[in-house]
Amino acid sequence: EAGVVQSPRYKIIEKKQPVAFWCNPISGHNTLYWYLQNLGQGPELLIRYENEEAVDDSQLPKDRFSAERLKGVDSTLKIQPAELGDSAVYLCASSPLSLAGGNTGELFFGEGSRLTVL
Amino acid sequence: AQSVSQHNHHVILSEAASLELGCNYSYGGTVNLFWYVQYPGQHLQLLLKYFSGDPLVKGIKGFEAEFIKSKFSFNLRKPSVQWSDTAEYFCAVGPRGTGNQFYFGTGTSLTVIP
């Protein structure tokens, strides 16, 4: 079974430039997450989708970050314009269906997209 | 607000030494608990999880963790570490009834010296 696929693995851009990350979750996983991981820190949630609906985007800096999951499968995360402080690893994860509001279990992570903003 | 605390940021052990990594969480309701591991150059993966039942859970590679409800803790243990256990370890909490939410600790970097 294929895992969570992310691209690109690495991206180097200059500040004020746009950047986009793509994620394809595990087939059948309806919940998709974008996390931000700074060096020496744990993953911090940016946005969580249930199918195509963003159910938690409270931590997404909406002035420069946007995300979409149009068909409830793959997703893109965009930053425009990028700032120096955006340098980090952007992790995508997926999880199976949430039943009756319960927490279903483990997250399946992609390998991450490492962004360096110069 | 929910929070997950990992007290040990960096741990260095010799092979065969015993390991215990602390994890405490702050959440008033029922939670599911997880330990994730990230080996060098690899993605985060599940080490073990606790949902209910026996508070002592066993995971892969000889790891185990004990849920102590009164202490809001879920410490990770291994009796004898190996060089291949060198990795970052993250504790995570999934509050029940909130859908698929997960909150992570800041992680512990473990280095095992051969």
Side-chain angles (χ1 to χ4, degrees):
Chain A
E1 178 183 281
V4 177
V5 179
Q6 290 188 247
S7 68
R9 288 290 310 281
Y10 304 93
K11 188 73 175 179
I12 301 173
I13 60 172
E14 294 189 343
K15 62 181 180 181
K16 300 186 181 179
Q17 294 300 305
V19 64
F21 305 111
W22 176 80
C23 172
N24 191 24
I26 292 174
S27 177
H29 284 193
N30 77 315
T31 309
L32 182 146
Y33 308 75
W34 283 101
Y35 281 93
L36 166 71
Q37 187 175 22
N38 286 304
L39 188 64
Q41 300 294 317
E44 299 173 32
L45 181 69
L46 289 171
I47 189 167
R48 175 168 61 99
Y49 283 93
E50 298 276 355
N51 298 307
E52 64 273 9
E53 181 183 0
V55 296
D56 186 353
D57 63 355
S58 57
Q59 301 304 310
L60 188 72
K62 298 181 182 64
D63 57 335
R64 297 184 300 108
F65 286 65
S66 64
E68 60 183 14
R69 193 185 185 199
L70 293 175
K71 296 183 180 179
V73 180
D74 57 349
S75 175
T76 56
L77 176 70
K78 299 178 181 178
I79 309 174
Q80 182 170 11
E83 296 180 352
L84 295 176
D86 296 332
S87 295
V89 177
Y90 292 83
L91 297 170
C92 180
S94 69
S95 185
L97 180 66
S98 172
L99 302 174
N103 193 293
T104 59
E106 67 181 287
L107 289 168
F108 295 81
F109 284 90
E111 294 186 326
S113 294
R114 182 177 295 278
L115 173 66
T116 301
V117 182
L118 303 177
Chain B
Q2 299 87 348
S3 67
V4 182
S5 299
Q6 292 183 241
H7 316 298
N8 317 99
H9 296 291
H10 300 280
V11 174
I12 301 175
L13 296 172
S14 297
E15 275 193 318
S18 64
L19 169 72
E20 181 160 1
L21 302 182
C23 173
N24 287 88
Y25 65 92
S26 169
Y27 185 74
T30 306
V31 298
N32 297 327
L33 296 158
F34 309 84
W35 277 95
Y36 283 83
V37 61
Q38 188 168 27
Y39 297 104
Q42 297 187 27
H43 62 277
L44 278 157
Q45 56 189 285
L46 184 70
L47 196 57
L48 51 77
K49 62 185 178 184
Y50 171 79
F51 276 22
S52 63
D54 189 344
L56 183 63
V57 293
K58 296 188 184 298
I60 59 173
K61 303 185 180 183
F63 286 90
E64 64 180 31
E66 184 176 13
F67 170 49
I68 302 179
K69 188 175 181 180
S70 61
K71 295 184 178 180
F72 297 88
S73 69
F74 190 55
N75 292 354
L76 181 70
R77 299 195 293 250
K78 186 171 184 178
S80 176
V81 294
Q82 300 173 313
W83 174 79
S84 59
D85 294 325
T86 295
E88 293 270 345
Y89 292 82
F90 295 93
C91 181
V93 170
R96 300 225 195 130
T98 61
N100 273 344
Q101 287 188 357
F102 296 82
Y103 300 94
F104 285 82
T106 54
T108 297
S109 174
L110 172 65
T111 300
V112 179
I113 302 170

